[in-house]
Amino acid sequence: MKAPTKDFVVPDDAKEVPGLIYYNMAGKKRRAHATWYRGETTNFHPVRDSLSEPDAVERYVGHGWLPGAPFINREHYITAFGSCFASEVTKFLQAAGYRVFGDKTSNLDAHVVRSGEGIVNSAALRQQFEWAFHDQGPKSSVWHDRDGAFAGATEDMKETTRQIFAETDVFIFTLGLSEVWYDKSTGDIFWKAIPKAVFDPDKHGFKVLTVEENKTNLRSVLQIIREYRPSATVVITLSPVPLAATFRPVSCITANCVSKASLRVAIDELMREFVDDRNLYYFPSYEIVTAFLEDAYGVDLRHPRPETIDFVMQTFKRSFLC
């Protein structure tokens, strides 16, 4: 009898056939080909019925990534910034009474507060930490606010940023994209696109950050945190919000896949490199929205529906908040 090559349901009392392996999924006994060695750990992809299980998101998405028990409390100083999805995280935490930026948001003059949802790429994230702790700011004007105005880089702003980072117990970074513009003479990377009024094709270039570049940026951030705030928790997430437009000569949908994939692989490699860092976590908001929930986006097919955001944040709450 030739063993089937696809997993399928079998009766609970069916005689087990040599050459197959058996496992339970969605309350049913299933079998799979056993010819190939499957390693010491095997986690099967869920079937549709699996997703209705009470703990489905933790079991089929969060497994291996989420902490064993919630640990972030209302006394912790939380710093959260990154892509536009980061603002949803901040709003949820503040509404629940958690100390995002130490409850002093309106009084803090720092880019991670004022323009936090615009620091969307890994290079921009790294710039803030190197500027605050190593006094290594960009050599060119690459920091602009949402209106395209130069965001500034005063000594007071740098000191405020350093104080924020130095007091932080929990960092939550939401990365957004890998498509970036940069200054050709310095290599400095812009937070966002370049303001039209100052764009110069001889001075400015465009590229997609590679996995290695993203990983190097993230590693640098983590190492700085471990140097100055060694016991702090770091939670990295990937925004499920896709590109609004690509500057590449290909479709936006395919360009977005590459942009997100570069970041996701970089995060995964970082997590494997620092597997012994017990205060480093990945929260799979990206996978929850793009692979677990059905019809997760609004009519623009970019921004998650309110109920989607609530589901993601309730999952975060069950896993991290106490």
PDB file of all heavy atoms in Angstrom, residues 25-26 28 30 45-53 56 60 291-295:
ATOM      1  N   MET A  25      -5.476  17.408  15.246  1.00  0.00           N
ATOM      2  CA  MET A  25      -5.624  18.799  14.828  1.00  0.00           C
ATOM      3  C   MET A  25      -7.109  19.112  14.742  1.00  0.00           C
ATOM      4  O   MET A  25      -7.864  18.386  14.097  1.00  0.00           O
ATOM      5  CB  MET A  25      -4.951  19.032  13.467  1.00  0.00           C
ATOM      6  CG  MET A  25      -5.141  20.434  12.882  1.00  0.00           C
ATOM      7  SD  MET A  25      -4.123  21.673  13.697  1.00  0.00           S
ATOM      8  CE  MET A  25      -2.486  21.195  13.152  1.00  0.00           C
ATOM      9  N   ALA A  26      -7.534  20.186  15.414  1.00  0.00           N
ATOM     10  CA  ALA A  26      -8.933  20.611  15.403  1.00  0.00           C
ATOM     11  C   ALA A  26      -9.857  19.491  15.874  1.00  0.00           C
ATOM     12  O   ALA A  26     -10.956  19.289  15.328  1.00  0.00           O
ATOM     13  CB  ALA A  26      -9.352  21.099  14.020  1.00  0.00           C
ATOM     14  N   LYS A  28      -9.546  16.286  15.579  1.00  0.00           N
ATOM     15  CA  LYS A  28      -9.633  15.115  14.716  1.00  0.00           C
ATOM     16  C   LYS A  28      -8.258  14.481  14.545  1.00  0.00           C
ATOM     17  O   LYS A  28      -7.244  15.165  14.558  1.00  0.00           O
ATOM     18  CB  LYS A  28     -10.200  15.492  13.349  1.00  0.00           C
ATOM     19  CG  LYS A  28     -11.630  16.013  13.410  1.00  0.00           C
ATOM     20  CD  LYS A  28     -12.137  16.409  12.033  1.00  0.00           C
ATOM     21  CE  LYS A  28     -13.561  16.939  12.112  1.00  0.00           C
ATOM     22  NZ  LYS A  28     -14.072  17.377  10.790  1.00  0.00           N
ATOM     23  N   ARG A  30      -5.401  12.864  12.427  1.00  0.00           N
ATOM     24  CA  ARG A  30      -4.933  13.038  11.056  1.00  0.00           C
ATOM     25  C   ARG A  30      -3.647  12.242  10.864  1.00  0.00           C
ATOM     26  O   ARG A  30      -2.978  11.886  11.827  1.00  0.00           O
ATOM     27  CB  ARG A  30      -4.690  14.534  10.757  1.00  0.00           C
ATOM     28  CG  ARG A  30      -5.943  15.365  10.946  1.00  0.00           C
ATOM     29  CD  ARG A  30      -5.679  16.865  10.885  1.00  0.00           C
ATOM     30  NE  ARG A  30      -6.867  17.594  11.270  1.00  0.00           N
ATOM     31  CZ  ARG A  30      -7.854  17.926  10.450  1.00  0.00           C
ATOM     32  NH1 ARG A  30      -7.775  17.607   9.166  1.00  0.00           N
ATOM     33  NH2 ARG A  30      -8.911  18.566  10.887  1.00  0.00           N
ATOM     34  N   HIS A  45       0.847  23.009  10.205  1.00  0.00           N
ATOM     35  CA  HIS A  45       0.028  24.164   9.850  1.00  0.00           C
ATOM     36  C   HIS A  45      -1.425  23.863  10.206  1.00  0.00           C
ATOM     37  O   HIS A  45      -1.912  22.762   9.980  1.00  0.00           O
ATOM     38  CB  HIS A  45       0.153  24.451   8.343  1.00  0.00           C
ATOM     39  CG  HIS A  45      -0.329  25.805   7.952  1.00  0.00           C
ATOM     40  ND1 HIS A  45      -1.672  26.104   7.815  1.00  0.00           N
ATOM     41  CD2 HIS A  45       0.340  26.943   7.676  1.00  0.00           C
ATOM     42  CE1 HIS A  45      -1.789  27.382   7.465  1.00  0.00           C
ATOM     43  NE2 HIS A  45      -0.588  27.910   7.373  1.00  0.00           N
ATOM     44  N   PRO A  46      -2.142  24.825  10.780  1.00  0.00           N
ATOM     45  CA  PRO A  46      -3.537  24.570  11.160  1.00  0.00           C
ATOM     46  C   PRO A  46      -4.438  24.419   9.941  1.00  0.00           C
ATOM     47  O   PRO A  46      -4.112  24.881   8.843  1.00  0.00           O
ATOM     48  CB  PRO A  46      -3.909  25.821  11.967  1.00  0.00           C
ATOM     49  CG  PRO A  46      -3.036  26.894  11.395  1.00  0.00           C
ATOM     50  CD  PRO A  46      -1.726  26.215  11.102  1.00  0.00           C
ATOM     51  N   VAL A  47      -5.562  23.766  10.157  1.00  0.00           N
ATOM     52  CA  VAL A  47      -6.620  23.722   9.154  1.00  0.00           C
ATOM     53  C   VAL A  47      -7.662  24.773   9.538  1.00  0.00           C
ATOM     54  O   VAL A  47      -7.586  25.378  10.607  1.00  0.00           O
ATOM     55  CB  VAL A  47      -7.251  22.321   9.081  1.00  0.00           C
ATOM     56  CG1 VAL A  47      -6.218  21.292   8.631  1.00  0.00           C
ATOM     57  CG2 VAL A  47      -7.841  21.914  10.425  1.00  0.00           C
ATOM     58  N   ARG A  48      -8.618  24.993   8.682  1.00  0.00           N
ATOM     59  CA  ARG A  48      -9.580  26.062   8.946  1.00  0.00           C
ATOM     60  C   ARG A  48     -10.327  25.863  10.264  1.00  0.00           C
ATOM     61  O   ARG A  48     -10.535  26.820  11.019  1.00  0.00           O
ATOM     62  CB  ARG A  48     -10.584  26.172   7.789  1.00  0.00           C
ATOM     63  CG  ARG A  48     -11.533  27.365   7.901  1.00  0.00           C
ATOM     64  CD  ARG A  48     -12.391  27.498   6.655  1.00  0.00           C
ATOM     65  NE  ARG A  48     -11.570  27.727   5.481  1.00  0.00           N
ATOM     66  CZ  ARG A  48     -11.107  28.913   5.109  1.00  0.00           C
ATOM     67  NH1 ARG A  48     -11.359  29.980   5.849  1.00  0.00           N
ATOM     68  NH2 ARG A  48     -10.390  29.046   4.007  1.00  0.00           N
ATOM     69  N   ASP A  49     -10.711  24.638  10.565  1.00  0.00           N
ATOM     70  CA  ASP A  49     -11.439  24.388  11.806  1.00  0.00           C
ATOM     71  C   ASP A  49     -10.587  24.697  13.040  1.00  0.00           C
ATOM     72  O   ASP A  49     -11.117  24.988  14.114  1.00  0.00           O
ATOM     73  CB  ASP A  49     -11.903  22.934  11.862  1.00  0.00           C
ATOM     74  CG  ASP A  49     -13.053  22.648  10.907  1.00  0.00           C
ATOM     75  OD1 ASP A  49     -13.662  23.620  10.407  1.00  0.00           O
ATOM     76  OD2 ASP A  49     -13.332  21.463  10.651  1.00  0.00           O
ATOM     77  N   SER A  50      -9.265  24.650  12.890  1.00  0.00           N
ATOM     78  CA  SER A  50      -8.386  24.922  14.030  1.00  0.00           C
ATOM     79  C   SER A  50      -8.545  26.346  14.537  1.00  0.00           C
ATOM     80  O   SER A  50      -8.361  26.624  15.726  1.00  0.00           O
ATOM     81  CB  SER A  50      -6.921  24.702  13.632  1.00  0.00           C
ATOM     82  OG  SER A  50      -6.708  23.426  13.099  1.00  0.00           O
ATOM     83  N   LEU A  51      -8.851  27.262  13.631  1.00  0.00           N
ATOM     84  CA  LEU A  51      -8.862  28.673  13.977  1.00  0.00           C
ATOM     85  C   LEU A  51     -10.018  29.074  14.885  1.00  0.00           C
ATOM     86  O   LEU A  51     -10.033  30.180  15.417  1.00  0.00           O
ATOM     87  CB  LEU A  51      -8.886  29.522  12.707  1.00  0.00           C
ATOM     88  CG  LEU A  51      -7.759  29.232  11.700  1.00  0.00           C
ATOM     89  CD1 LEU A  51      -7.781  30.235  10.569  1.00  0.00           C
ATOM     90  CD2 LEU A  51      -6.396  29.226  12.390  1.00  0.00           C
ATOM     91  N   SER A  52     -10.978  28.175  15.066  1.00  0.00           N
ATOM     92  CA  SER A  52     -12.102  28.472  15.955  1.00  0.00           C
ATOM     93  C   SER A  52     -11.850  27.985  17.382  1.00  0.00           C
ATOM     94  O   SER A  52     -12.682  28.194  18.264  1.00  0.00           O
ATOM     95  CB  SER A  52     -13.386  27.833  15.415  1.00  0.00           C
ATOM     96  OG  SER A  52     -13.266  26.421  15.336  1.00  0.00           O
ATOM     97  N   GLU A  53     -10.715  27.345  17.629  1.00  0.00           N
ATOM     98  CA  GLU A  53     -10.388  26.887  18.967  1.00  0.00           C
ATOM     99  C   GLU A  53     -10.140  28.097  19.867  1.00  0.00           C
ATOM    100  O   GLU A  53      -9.649  29.129  19.416  1.00  0.00           O
ATOM    101  CB  GLU A  53      -9.159  25.986  18.929  1.00  0.00           C
ATOM    102  CG  GLU A  53      -9.374  24.701  18.146  1.00  0.00           C
ATOM    103  CD  GLU A  53      -8.100  23.899  17.986  1.00  0.00           C
ATOM    104  OE1 GLU A  53      -7.104  24.223  18.665  1.00  0.00           O
ATOM    105  OE2 GLU A  53      -8.093  22.949  17.176  1.00  0.00           O
ATOM    106  N   ALA A  56      -6.588  29.456  19.781  1.00  0.00           N
ATOM    107  CA  ALA A  56      -6.011  29.232  18.453  1.00  0.00           C
ATOM    108  C   ALA A  56      -4.875  30.189  18.129  1.00  0.00           C
ATOM    109  O   ALA A  56      -3.843  29.788  17.591  1.00  0.00           O
ATOM    110  CB  ALA A  56      -7.098  29.333  17.384  1.00  0.00           C
ATOM    111  N   TYR A  60      -1.374  28.563  17.326  1.00  0.00           N
ATOM    112  CA  TYR A  60      -0.952  28.439  15.936  1.00  0.00           C
ATOM    113  C   TYR A  60      -0.175  29.630  15.393  1.00  0.00           C
ATOM    114  O   TYR A  60       0.404  29.546  14.314  1.00  0.00           O
ATOM    115  CB  TYR A  60      -2.177  28.171  15.053  1.00  0.00           C
ATOM    116  CG  TYR A  60      -2.905  26.904  15.456  1.00  0.00           C
ATOM    117  CD1 TYR A  60      -4.203  26.951  15.950  1.00  0.00           C
ATOM    118  CD2 TYR A  60      -2.280  25.660  15.370  1.00  0.00           C
ATOM    119  CE1 TYR A  60      -4.864  25.798  16.338  1.00  0.00           C
ATOM    120  CE2 TYR A  60      -2.924  24.504  15.756  1.00  0.00           C
ATOM    121  CZ  TYR A  60      -4.222  24.584  16.239  1.00  0.00           C
ATOM    122  OH  TYR A  60      -4.870  23.431  16.620  1.00  0.00           O
ATOM    123  N   ALA A 291      -2.325  36.396   8.221  1.00  0.00           N
ATOM    124  CA  ALA A 291      -2.478  34.954   7.999  1.00  0.00           C
ATOM    125  C   ALA A 291      -3.508  34.282   8.885  1.00  0.00           C
ATOM    126  O   ALA A 291      -3.945  33.174   8.574  1.00  0.00           O
ATOM    127  CB  ALA A 291      -1.119  34.255   8.190  1.00  0.00           C
ATOM    128  N   PHE A 292      -3.902  34.924   9.968  1.00  0.00           N
ATOM    129  CA  PHE A 292      -4.824  34.277  10.908  1.00  0.00           C
ATOM    130  C   PHE A 292      -6.249  34.799  10.773  1.00  0.00           C
ATOM    131  O   PHE A 292      -7.196  34.014  10.701  1.00  0.00           O
ATOM    132  CB  PHE A 292      -4.319  34.501  12.339  1.00  0.00           C
ATOM    133  CG  PHE A 292      -5.148  33.821  13.388  1.00  0.00           C
ATOM    134  CD1 PHE A 292      -4.951  32.481  13.683  1.00  0.00           C
ATOM    135  CD2 PHE A 292      -6.137  34.509  14.083  1.00  0.00           C
ATOM    136  CE1 PHE A 292      -5.719  31.844  14.649  1.00  0.00           C
ATOM    137  CE2 PHE A 292      -6.907  33.893  15.049  1.00  0.00           C
ATOM    138  CZ  PHE A 292      -6.701  32.551  15.327  1.00  0.00           C
ATOM    139  N   LEU A 293      -6.422  36.101  10.765  1.00  0.00           N
ATOM    140  CA  LEU A 293      -7.754  36.699  10.703  1.00  0.00           C
ATOM    141  C   LEU A 293      -8.262  36.812   9.267  1.00  0.00           C
ATOM    142  O   LEU A 293      -7.482  37.075   8.345  1.00  0.00           O
ATOM    143  CB  LEU A 293      -7.738  38.095  11.340  1.00  0.00           C
ATOM    144  CG  LEU A 293      -7.413  38.158  12.840  1.00  0.00           C
ATOM    145  CD1 LEU A 293      -7.320  39.604  13.295  1.00  0.00           C
ATOM    146  CD2 LEU A 293      -8.468  37.410  13.647  1.00  0.00           C
ATOM    147  N   GLU A 294      -9.550  36.616   9.092  1.00  0.00           N
ATOM    148  CA  GLU A 294     -10.163  36.795   7.777  1.00  0.00           C
ATOM    149  C   GLU A 294     -10.681  38.222   7.636  1.00  0.00           C
ATOM    150  O   GLU A 294     -11.181  38.807   8.595  1.00  0.00           O
ATOM    151  CB  GLU A 294     -11.318  35.802   7.585  1.00  0.00           C
ATOM    152  CG  GLU A 294     -10.881  34.337   7.530  1.00  0.00           C
ATOM    153  CD  GLU A 294     -12.044  33.422   7.198  1.00  0.00           C
ATOM    154  OE1 GLU A 294     -13.134  33.933   6.903  1.00  0.00           O
ATOM    155  OE2 GLU A 294     -11.851  32.188   7.238  1.00  0.00           O
ATOM    156  N   ASP A 295     -10.543  38.766   6.435  1.00  0.00           N
ATOM    157  CA  ASP A 295     -11.073  40.095   6.137  1.00  0.00           C
ATOM    158  C   ASP A 295     -10.612  41.112   7.184  1.00  0.00           C
ATOM    159  O   ASP A 295     -11.411  41.835   7.782  1.00  0.00           O
ATOM    160  CB  ASP A 295     -12.604  40.052   6.069  1.00  0.00           C
ATOM    161  CG  ASP A 295     -13.196  41.273   5.365  1.00  0.00           C
ATOM    162  OD1 ASP A 295     -12.467  41.947   4.618  1.00  0.00           O
ATOM    163  OD2 ASP A 295     -14.392  41.551   5.586  1.00  0.00           O
TER     164      ASP A 295
END
